[in-house]
C-alpha cells in the first residue's frame, strides 16, 4: 500500500523565525500515523526546519535544487548542500519554476538525477495550462512531462519518485480540479509509469494532486483510489490549516 503524503509548499513565504514559530505549533499535531507530513520551506528556513524536525515524524523538503553538484552557478544551491542539512525531499519542476525560470523538461530530468545522487526524494510537478486543457491536451502534456522527468532512472529509483499533478489553472486561483477529473488524469499518469517500467513500479509511485487544496476538500481527493496525497501552497502556511490537512488525509 502507498503511504499518503501531504507536502506543504511554502513558496517564497516565511523567514527562519517564522518557520520556527510555525513548527513549534504543528509539532506533535501534524504527525499522524499512516500519513507522511512534509514541509518544503525556502532555502533560508531549511537549517532551522531540519533542526526543529529532528526526532519528529515531519520531513523537510526544499523547493528546488541545481542539476550540478557544484560549479560557477551564482546564487544556486546543490543537492549536497541540502543533503548536509538533513533535507529529505525536493520539489522539482514546479510550474512556477518552469514559467518564470525557464525550466525545461530536460532540466527537470537533470535535477531529478541530482536529487538521487544526494539521497533526496524528488517531488516532480507536472500539469497543463488552461489553454492546453481546453484543447484536450491534458494527458498528452502530463505524459510528455512525466516521460522526460523519468528518463534514465532505474525502476528502483522511479518507485521512490513522488509526482505532483498540478493543473496550472488551479494553482492559487481557488479553482480546484474536481476530484473525479484529478483522479482521471492521475490514473493516466500512473499508466505512463507502468508503460515506462512495469505495473509494480507504477503501483509504488505516489501521485499527489495540487491546486487550491484546503482542509475543506482534502478528504474528497484522498478518497480517490489513485490520489496519494496533495502538494499544498496557500493552505499550508497557517499551522491550524496544515494540521487539518494532515488529519484530513487519514
Ligand atoms: O502550487 C501549489 C503547490 O505547489 C498549489 O498552490 P495552492 O495550494 O496555493 O493553489
Amino acid at each position: 500500500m502507498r503511504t499518503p503524503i501531504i507536502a506543504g509548499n511554502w513558496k517564497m513565504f516565511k523567514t527562519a523565525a517564522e518557520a520556527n514559530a510555525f513548527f513549534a505549533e504543528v509539532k506533535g499535531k501534524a504527525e499522524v500515523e499512516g500519513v507522511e507530513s512534509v514541509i518544503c520551506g525556502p532555502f533560508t528556513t531549511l537549517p532551522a526546519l531540519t533542526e526543529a524536525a529532528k526526532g519528529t515524524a515531519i520531513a523537510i523538503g526544499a523547493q528546488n535544487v541545481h542539476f550540478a553538484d557544484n560549479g560557477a552557478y551564482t546564487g544556486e544551491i546543490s543537492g549536497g548542500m541540502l543533503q548536509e542539512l538533513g533535507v529529505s525531499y525536493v520539489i522539482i519542476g514546479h510550474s512556477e519554476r518552469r514559467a518564470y525560470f525557464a525550466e525545461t523538461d530536460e532540466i527537470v530530468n537533470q535535477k531529478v538525477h541530482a536529487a538521487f545522487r544526494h539521497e533526496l526524494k524528488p517531488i516532480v510537478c507536472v500539469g497543463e495550462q488552461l489553454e492546453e486543457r481546453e484543447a484536450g491536451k491534458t494527458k498528452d502534456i502530463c505524459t510528455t512531462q512525466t516521460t522526460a522527468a523519468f528518463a534514465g532512472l532505474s525502476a528502483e529509483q522511479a518507485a521512490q519518485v513522488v509526482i505532483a499533478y498540478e493543473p496550472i489553472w488551479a494553482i492559487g486561483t481557488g479553482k480546484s480540479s474536481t476530484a473525479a477529473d484529478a483522479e482521471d488524469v492521475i490514473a493516466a499518469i500512473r499508466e505512463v509509469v507502468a508503460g515506462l517500467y512495469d505495473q509494480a513500479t507504477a503501483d509504488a509511485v505516489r501521485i499527489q494532486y495540487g491546486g487550491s487544496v484546503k482542509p475543506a476538500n482534502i478528504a474528497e481527493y484522498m478518497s480517490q483510489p489513485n490520489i496519494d496525497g496533495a502538494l499544498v501552497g496557500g493552505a499550508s502556511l497557517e499551522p491550524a490549516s496544515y494540521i487539518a490537512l494532515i488529519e484530513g488525509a487519514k
Side-chain angles (χ1 to χ4, degrees), residues 10 13-25 42 44-49 52:
W10 283 354
F13 292 97
K14 295 195 193 293
T15 63
E18 289 164 347
N20 265 327
F22 176 99
F23 202 92
E25 289 207 40
T44 52
T45 65
L46 297 177
L49 286 173

Side-chain angles (χ1 to χ4, degrees), residues 7-90:
N9 173 11
W10 283 354
K11 308 192 179 184
M12 200 171 70
F13 292 97
K14 295 195 193 293
T15 63
E18 289 164 347
N20 265 327
F22 176 99
F23 202 92
E25 289 207 40
V26 303
K27 192 175 172 175
K29 297 184 190 136
E31 298 178 62
V32 168
E33 186 79 32
V35 179
E36 205 174 341
S37 171
V38 185
I39 296 171
C40 301
F43 286 131
T44 52
T45 65
L46 297 177
L49 286 173
T50 49
E51 188 58 34
K54 280 185 185 153
T56 75
I58 300 173
I60 304 303
Q63 300 170 14
N64 183 28
V65 64
H66 197 267
F67 54 76
D69 291 346
N70 48 52
Y73 297 107
T74 302
E76 291 292 317
I77 299 286
S78 74
M81 296 169 186
L82 298 174
Q83 183 180 22
E84 181 190 44
L85 292 177
V87 168
S88 322
Y89 284 92
V90 59

Side-chain angles (χ1 to χ4, degrees), residues 36-235:
E36 205 174 341
S37 171
V38 185
I39 296 171
C40 301
F43 286 131
T44 52
T45 65
L46 297 177
L49 286 173
T50 49
E51 188 58 34
K54 280 185 185 153
T56 75
I58 300 173
I60 304 303
Q63 300 170 14
N64 183 28
V65 64
H66 197 267
F67 54 76
D69 291 346
N70 48 52
Y73 297 107
T74 302
E76 291 292 317
I77 299 286
S78 74
M81 296 169 186
L82 298 174
Q83 183 180 22
E84 181 190 44
L85 292 177
V87 168
S88 322
Y89 284 92
V90 59
I91 298 172
I92 295 175
H94 191 280
S95 60
E96 288 151 16
R97 296 217 51 93
R98 292 180 191 254
Y100 308 139
F101 302 97
E103 284 192 12
T104 61
D105 286 343
E106 192 189 7
I107 292 172
V108 169
N109 176 248
Q110 289 177 28
K111 291 184 173 200
V112 169
H113 283 278
F116 277 113
R117 285 197 301 276
H118 299 286
E119 291 170 26
L120 301 165
K121 283 169 266 182
I123 300 176
V124 175
C125 302
V126 302
E128 82 287 1
Q129 298 178 32
L130 186 58
E131 312 82 74
E132 293 165 337
R133 183 175 196 90
E134 285 168 349
K137 292 187 184 154
T138 297
K139 289 180 186 171
D140 287 349
I141 298 287
C142 292
T143 299
T144 303
Q145 292 179 342
T146 303
T147 304
F150 278 73
L153 293 187
S154 67
E156 195 195 334
Q157 289 174 323
Q160 294 173 58
V161 174
V162 176
I163 301 172
Y165 166 57
E166 299 204 312
I168 296 167
W169 50 270
I171 295 177
T173 57
K175 277 193 240 165
S176 49
S177 175
T178 66
D181 277 351
E183 166 67 16
D184 182 46
V185 178
I186 285 175
I189 294 171
R190 199 177 299 287
E191 283 299 302
V192 171
V193 179
L196 293 172
Y197 297 91
D198 48 44
Q199 195 58 47
T201 306
D203 287 343
V205 165
R206 292 180 294 173
I207 311 182
Q208 301 171 311
Y209 167 72
S212 299
V213 174
K214 25 186 195 287
N217 61 19
I218 183 76
E220 209 181 317
Y221 291 110
M222 296 308 296
S223 69
Q224 302 293 324
N226 279 287
I227 302 183
D228 304 315
L231 184 58
V232 187

